[in-house]
Amino acid sequence: MNKLNEIFYQFLPEFKVNKIAKYGSGHINDTYMVTIDDSETTFIMQRVNHQIFPNVPELMNNIFGVTNHLKTKFEEMEGKDPNVNSLTFINTLDGEKYHQDEEGNYWRVMETITPARSYDKVETEQQAFQAGVGIGEFQALLSDFDGSSLYEIIPNFHNMETRLATFREIVKKDVVGRVRLAQEQIQFVENRAEEMQTLVRLGKEGKLPIRVTHNDTKINNVLLDENDEVLCVIDLDTVMPGFVLYDFGDAIRTSTNTGDEDDANLDNVEMDIKLFTAYTKGFLSKTASSLTPIEIEYLPLSARIMTFIIGLRFITDYLDGDNYFKTHHEHHNLQRAKAQFKLVSSMERQFEEMQRVVQEEVTVNC
Ligand code: ADP
Ligand code: MG
Ligand code: MG
C-alpha cells in the first residue's frame, strides 16, 4: 500500500482513501489533502517539520490544550461551531496525538475547515479587519488559559536582547567578510537598539502579562469564508507563552506591507495605514476589554519592534553566511533586511497616526 495511505489509516482506518495530494502554500510543514472515496469528505494530513520543532510530542500537547480550551468557549457562543472555528485533530488508533513512522517523521491528521480561503497577501481592508478579528478573538478566548502550562517551543524566540547580542558577536567575527557590504544596515540597527528593547524591558519589570501567543499571525494562517469572514485561526505549531504584543506586531508587519517581504524595489515597501486601521479595528473589537493599559499603549511600537527583529535576524544571518533562512540568490538575506528596515522606517513616519488609530478604537470599544 502507498505509504501516505498507510499513515492515514493509522488514524482513520474506517475511511477509504481516494487520493492524497500536496496542499496549501505553507513553508514549514508538508501538508496534504486526503480525499475519501465516494464522498465529499476530506481531511488535512501533515508531516510536522521536526528540524524546526524538535519536540513534537510537547508541541502536540500545546496544540491539544489550546484547541480544547477554544472548543469549550465556542460551544457556549451563539453562531459559533467548535469544529469550524477551531482546529480538530484526530487521535491515532492507539489514542496518540501523532503517528511516528519508521523514518522518525511525525504525522498528524485534522478535519478540513471548509469552505475556507487562505490568502498569502492581504488585498482588502475587509480581509485585514477579519484577520484582526480572528487573532483578537483567539487572544481573548485564551486570556483565561494558563500560559505557563505551555511548553516553550522556541526559547527566546522574540528576545531582542539575545538577538542583538548574537548580531553584535557576528558583526565582530565577520566570518564571511560581508560586514563592509552592510554598513548602512548595521548603523540602522545600532541607532534603534535601545528603543527596540522596550518589550524585553517591560517584561523584566513585570509590566506585561504572559499570555498564550500564536507567533505566526500571517494572513494565510487565518482562514476566511467565501464572504471573507473569519472562520478559523490555524497553524498552531508556535503557540507558546509570550506577550500579546508579539502577535499584534507581527500581524501588522505581514498584513500591511504594500510590497513583498523581500521586495527588491524598496519603493514598493510601505505600511498601508488603511490596512493598519482595519486590522487594529478588528483586533481591538475583540481584545480592548481584556488588554491592560500598558499593552494597549505599546501596540503601535510593537509593530515597529516585530518588523525590526525580523530585519535584524535577516541581516544577522547574512553576516553569518546564510545558515538559517533558505536563500534564493547570493544577497537575498541582505535584500530581505533592507525591505524590513524600509518597512520600519515607513512605520516610524506614520507613528503618530498609528497611535491615534489605537486610541480611537479603544474609546469605541470600552
Ligand atoms: P505551515 O506551518 O507549513 O504554514 P499550515 O498548518 O499553516 O502549515 O498549513 C499550510 C496550509 O494548508 C495553510 O496555509 C492552509 O491553506 C492549509 N490548511 C492547513 N490546515 C488546514 C485545515 N484544517 N483546513 C483547511 N486548510 C488547511
Ligand atoms: Mg501556515
Ligand atoms: Mg507554521
Side-chain angles (χ1 to χ4, degrees):
M1 192 180 3
N2 167 320
K3 189 186 153 222
L4 290 173
N5 290 23
E6 213 170 291
I7 291 162
F8 180 77
Y9 290 134
Q10 301 293 324
F11 293 83
L12 291 165
E14 66 272 33
F15 288 93
K16 191 167 173 304
V17 170
N18 174 306
K19 75 165 192 245
I20 300 186
K22 275 260 183 197
Y23 186 71
S25 59
H27 291 308
I28 306 292
N29 300 305
D30 292 339
T31 303
Y32 298 89
M33 180 169 273
V34 182
T35 308
I36 303 304
D37 232 7
D38 303 329
S39 81
E40 300 283 283
T41 315
T42 64
F43 292 92
I44 301 287
M45 183 161 95
Q46 284 181 323
R47 186 180 74 86
V48 183
N49 184 330
H50 64 270
Q51 255 75 45
I52 293 191
F53 306 117
N55 198 335
V56 179
E58 289 286 9
L59 176 151
M60 290 307 294
N61 281 339
N62 280 3
I63 293 184
F64 269 74
V66 164
T67 50
N68 286 339
H69 186 95
L70 290 173
K71 280 184 194 302
T72 319
K73 294 287 167 97
F74 282 127
E75 256 154 35
E76 293 160 0
M77 290 162 68
E78 218 172 295
K80 295 286 186 182
D81 178 345
N83 292 329
V84 174
N85 304 119
S86 161
L87 288 176
T88 307
F89 286 87
I90 291 159
N91 285 305
T92 66
L93 289 179
D94 304 333
E96 299 290 342
K97 302 180 178 79
Y98 56 86
H99 168 71
Q100 193 170 22
D101 67 20
E102 315 84 68
E103 291 149 39
N105 292 309
Y106 293 86
W107 295 86
R108 64 186 174 205
V109 171
M110 58 186 135
E111 289 186 11
T112 310
I113 307 292
T114 182
R117 289 182 182 176
S118 166
Y119 296 98
D120 288 322
K121 195 161 170 55
V122 172
E123 304 286 354
T124 66
E125 286 170 54
Q126 162 74 357
Q127 290 165 5
F129 176 81
Q130 289 293 322
V133 168
I135 297 294
E137 185 156 70
F138 181 87
Q139 298 285 356
L141 298 181
L142 289 165
S143 63
D144 60 347
F145 186 92
D146 177 14
S148 66
S149 72
L150 293 174
Y151 175 78
E152 199 175 357
I153 296 289
I154 307 175
N156 285 321
F157 194 42
H158 302 304
N159 187 328
M160 191 70 84
E161 216 172 61
T162 51
R163 296 276 185 206
L164 276 167
T166 309
F167 164 77
R168 287 171 176 155
E169 219 172 280
I170 284 173
V171 170
K172 213 187 280 168
K173 285 191 193 141
D174 194 16
V175 277
V176 285
R178 282 176 168 174
V179 162
R180 70 191 165 82
L181 302 174
Q183 284 305 315
E184 208 179 307
Q185 289 68 41
I186 293 170
Q187 204 50 53
F188 187 96
V189 170
E190 290 303 344
N191 288 346
R192 291 160 179 78
E194 201 50 43
E195 189 180 23
M196 293 294 100
Q197 292 181 74
T198 303
L199 299 187
V200 194
R201 183 169 53 73
L202 290 172
K204 278 193 190 154
E205 292 167 358
K207 289 181 179 157
L208 292 174
I210 306 282
R211 301 181 185 270
V212 180
T213 46
H214 182 283
N215 295 303
D216 193 5
T217 49
K218 289 198 287 284
I219 184 69
N220 64 12
N221 289 328
V222 182
L223 299 182
L224 307 181
D225 70 11
E226 61 271 74
N227 301 317
D228 278 352
E229 299 209 2
V230 64
L231 284 179
C232 186
V233 173
I234 64 165
D235 201 351
L236 305 178
D237 293 328
T238 46
V239 163
M240 60 182 148
F243 305 138
V244 71
L245 297 168
Y246 296 157
D247 277 358
F248 180 81
D250 204 47
I252 296 304
R253 175 183 82 83
T254 53
S255 297
T256 68
N257 185 355
T258 52
D260 293 330
E261 188 177 54
D262 64 345
D263 217 305
N265 181 357
L266 295 183
D267 292 342
N268 291 338
V269 179
E270 290 288 345
M271 185 196 73
D272 183 335
I273 192 75
K274 287 208 190 88
L275 295 179
F276 173 82
T277 306
Y279 188 95
T280 303
K281 265 187 208 280
F283 183 79
L284 283 173
S285 74
K286 296 294 176 182
T287 57
S289 56
S290 60
L291 295 182
T292 66
I294 294 201
E295 287 176 312
I296 289 175
E297 181 183 340
Y298 284 97
L299 287 171
L301 186 64
S302 77
R304 278 163 53 193
I305 290 182
M306 296 308 288
T307 310
F308 177 89
I309 203 167
I310 188 78
L312 176 65
R313 291 174 60 201
F314 287 144
I315 197 67
T316 303
D317 198 36
Y318 178 69
L319 298 174
D320 194 32
D322 308 320
N323 293 314
Y324 185 87
F325 297 105
K326 271 188 220 148
T327 51
H328 305 309
H329 52 84
E330 196 189 348
H331 300 294
H332 200 174
N333 272 321
L334 178 62
Q335 182 180 316
R336 286 170 173 148
K338 284 183 184 171
Q340 292 302 301
F341 290 161
K342 168 73 196 286
L343 189 56
V344 171
S345 303
S346 176
M347 290 172 179
E348 287 172 352
R349 273 196 304 279
Q350 302 182 78
F351 197 58
E352 275 173 29
E353 181 66 5
M354 292 165 79
Q355 288 177 307
R356 203 190 52 71
V357 168
V358 167
Q359 278 324 311
E360 199 172 295
E361 288 315 308
V362 169
T363 318
V364 171
N365 285 290
C366 285

